[in-house]
Amino acid sequence: MILSPKDKITTPQAAVIVINFILGTGLLTLPRSSTEKVHTPDVWISVIIGGVIALITGVIMVKLSQQFPDKTFYQYINDIVGKWAGGVISLVIICYFLTTSGFQIRSMAEVIRFLLLEGTPTWAIIMLFMWVGLYLIIGGINPIARLFEIILPLTVILFLVVTFMSFKIFEIDNLRPVLGEGIIPVLKGVKTTSLAFTGAEIMLLLLPFMNQPKKAVKAVLVGVSIPLIFYVITVVLVIGALSIDGVVTRTWPTLDLIRSFEVAGLIFERFESLLLVVWIMQIFSTFTITFYAAALGLAQLSKKSIHPFMFGLLPILYIIAMVPKNINDLFKLGDLVGNVALFLFGLLPLLLLIISRVKGGKYETNT
């Protein structure tokens, strides 16, 4: 598959795609998953360390892709490690994006059933959003980027409103003492918080779509920094309002925080409904971009049109989404995806960057 010269995105659009990719289910689940590991009020420090690690790995992935600014990862991996090894790695990454996509759409269905459409069959919600997602990605990366540009400002506005409202029930004592049990508990939570920032890997595919690939580092820095701010504020507010013990006993602590206050007389007295509408769009964003990334990989590996693969992946996505039997199985699937991402995008890009730098001018000679 050859990239269309008309299907280009700007640097801010690339940053927005990274932001929306990262802000999937993480904002809803990170306070609980990270608190379970750290078990002290210092979770926010783990989140900052995890964000810094994500920034470093994001820059490494961009530097790797900038060696081949006209190709996606699926296209240039063969130049670095050879055809067969490159094909295997590409297939693993396609499976990662597919599984992530299935995980996100199932999470979205669970949240919708939990708070909006209780009793509605999961398959009905999943199938509806799968077809809407397919309709979006058929247009290419440009419509995806434009939709993300609409969703992000709504997310920021609502987040600021919720932050402001949360101060009413915020207790600073729930965040004390700082480092009362030392740095070790903080370090235990770094892996969990780092996984919440998975999303910068989309830059491995976005670079050739960018009008200015040289500014990709700027895109990834902005793209990871904004979710980092969101995550730190969310964790501080949730723990400050619910306490450590209150957070670990809740499935969706962020939603419970918002449900704990209401303002009589406003149009939306129950804020969680408003939040859910926006956050469903956020999870939908992660679902669509990973769906597109998987279809793009198959198209470029086979050197065929991307559209048949988009349709062909629908039943596979549905099966992946329906595999978890309950919410606990769903969280286990999320942990599995995160652990795979830790290797694929934490270590592999650095290794490939070193190999490509060692090979140096061989690529120029071959091209």
Side-chain angles (χ1 to χ4, degrees):
M1 176 197 169
I2 300 173
L3 302 180
S4 168
K6 295 181 180 178
D7 207 15
K8 291 286 185 180
I9 58 174
T10 62
T11 304
Q13 284 179 321
V16 167
I17 290 176
V18 174
I19 294 169
N20 280 277
F21 191 147
I22 295 175
L23 291 178
T25 56
L27 208 67
L28 301 180
T29 60
L30 179 64
R32 179 187 50 77
S33 59
S34 55
T35 305
E36 283 177 345
K37 297 291 182 184
V38 179
H39 266 297
T40 72
D42 304 317
V43 178
W44 59 275
I45 302 177
S46 296
V47 175
I48 292 175
I49 297 173
V52 171
I53 293 172
L55 283 169
I56 295 170
T57 54
V59 171
I60 290 172
M61 285 187 273
V62 168
K63 290 295 181 185
L64 171 64
S65 292
Q66 282 179 332
Q67 307 265 326
F68 312 88
D70 298 325
K71 296 179 179 179
T72 70
F73 180 85
Y74 302 123
Q75 293 170 317
Y76 66 69
I77 182 67
N78 293 349
D79 297 337
I80 301 176
V81 297
K83 184 178 179 181
W84 290 105
V88 171
I89 294 173
S90 292
L91 282 175
V92 172
I93 289 181
I94 290 169
C95 290
Y96 162 78
F97 280 124
L98 258 182
T99 310
T100 302
S101 191
F103 167 74
Q104 293 292 340
I105 198 168
R106 176 61 184 272
S107 299
M108 184 167 58
E110 291 293 336
V111 173
I112 291 173
R113 288 184 71 235
F114 181 61
L115 288 169
L116 289 180
L117 300 175
E118 189 177 350
T120 305
T122 304
W123 63 264
I125 301 172
I126 288 175
M127 290 189 73
L128 173 66
F129 280 98
M130 281 200 319
W131 284 105
V132 176
L134 174 66
Y135 180 74
L136 173 67
I137 68 171
I138 279 179
I141 195 71
N142 229 300
I144 297 173
R146 288 201 294 270
L147 177 69
F148 286 15
E149 283 181 305
I150 296 171
I151 293 174
L152 186 60
L154 295 174
T155 306
V156 173
I157 292 170
L158 183 68
F159 183 77
L160 292 176
V161 171
V162 169
T163 301
F164 177 74
M165 298 300 299
S166 300
F167 281 118
K168 291 184 176 180
I169 55 174
F170 182 79
E171 290 287 343
I172 190 67
D173 289 340
N174 288 333
L175 292 166
R176 293 172 177 164
V178 177
L179 293 177
E181 297 184 25
I183 194 69
I184 300 300
V186 172
L187 297 178
K188 286 181 180 177
V190 169
K191 179 187 172 186
T192 301
T193 56
S194 299
L195 296 181
F197 289 94
T198 52
E201 61 268 21
I202 198 63
M203 290 302 295
L204 292 169
L205 311 180
L206 283 188
L207 214 80
F209 291 100
M210 293 180 65
N211 285 328
Q212 296 176 295
K214 290 181 180 178
K215 294 186 176 179
V217 171
K218 183 179 178 182
V220 78
L221 288 177
V222 174
V224 177
S225 296
I226 291 179
L228 171 59
I229 295 169
F230 271 51
Y231 282 161
V232 171
I233 293 175
T234 302
V235 166
V236 167
L237 287 178
V238 170
I239 295 177
L242 303 177
S243 78
I244 292 292
D245 293 334
V247 171
V248 296
T249 56
R250 289 171 162 85
T251 305
W252 311 103
T254 310
L255 290 177
D256 288 338
L257 166 68
I258 297 162
R259 296 171 84 182
S260 62
F261 58 79
E262 63 180 46
V263 180
L266 294 184
I267 297 175
F268 298 101
E269 292 188 6
R270 296 181 64 195
F271 272 89
E272 80 267 19
S273 300
L274 190 57
L275 176 83
L276 271 175
V277 171
V278 174
W279 235 258
I280 286 168
M281 290 191 286
Q282 276 296 339
I283 300 175
F284 179 73
S285 301
T286 310
F287 158 66
T288 52
I289 193 64
T290 47
F291 185 6
Y292 180 79
L296 179 70
L298 290 174
Q300 292 190 331
L301 276 184
S302 62
K303 298 180 180 176
K304 305 288 184 183
S305 169
I306 191 172
H307 292 152
F309 292 105
M310 290 175 174
F311 284 92
L313 286 177
L314 279 180
I316 301 174
L317 268 177
Y318 177 79
I319 293 170
I320 293 172
M322 295 301 290
V323 164
K325 295 178 180 176
N326 50 46
I327 195 75
N328 290 326
D329 286 350
L330 181 64
F331 287 147
K332 287 178 184 175
L333 178 63
D335 291 340
L336 174 65
V337 170
N339 288 326
V340 172
L342 195 65
F343 169 74
L344 280 181
F345 308 113
L347 300 175
L348 187 61
L350 178 61
L351 186 62
L352 293 175
L353 180 62
I354 294 171
I355 295 173
S356 65
R357 287 284 172 88
V358 170
K359 285 188 173 181
K362 286 185 179 180
Y363 307 122
E364 296 177 5
T365 305
N366 292 335
T367 55

